[in-house]
Amino acid sequence: FKSNLKTASTLSVIVGVFMFCWSPLVLIDIVSIFAQEPFYNVVSIAALRLALSNSAYNPIIYGIFNQSFRKGFKNIMIHC
């Protein structure tokens, strides 16, 4: 039960961060469909950068929540 709870909490954090990062871009894209002209401004560029930064957060999340990931990462870093 304990390992299932840890897995569920890790997965919920990963999905939550994914939703936080990608929701602004998706909303801007939906709004721009209904607008007369597509708009590309500072907000849409910032939303795109936030969405693309999601890939950088996954290793951090796994490193915090998964001990075997931390051990494997340390092992790789030692042998480089």
Side-chain angles (χ1 to χ4, degrees), residues 9-24 50-62 64-65:
S9 66
T10 303
L11 187 60
S12 64
V13 169
I14 290 170
V15 170
V17 170
F18 178 83
M19 294 294 292
F20 174 77
C21 289
W22 281 93
S23 293
L50 179 64
L52 295 176
S53 72
N54 182 58
S55 298
Y57 299 136
N58 286 335
I60 296 168
I61 294 169
Y62 282 117
I64 291 171
F65 286 98

Side-chain angles (χ1 to χ4, degrees), residues 33-47:
I33 289 171
F34 295 109
Q36 299 291 27
E37 296 179 14
F39 54 95
Y40 299 102
N41 55 17
V42 176
V43 175
S44 61
I45 292 170

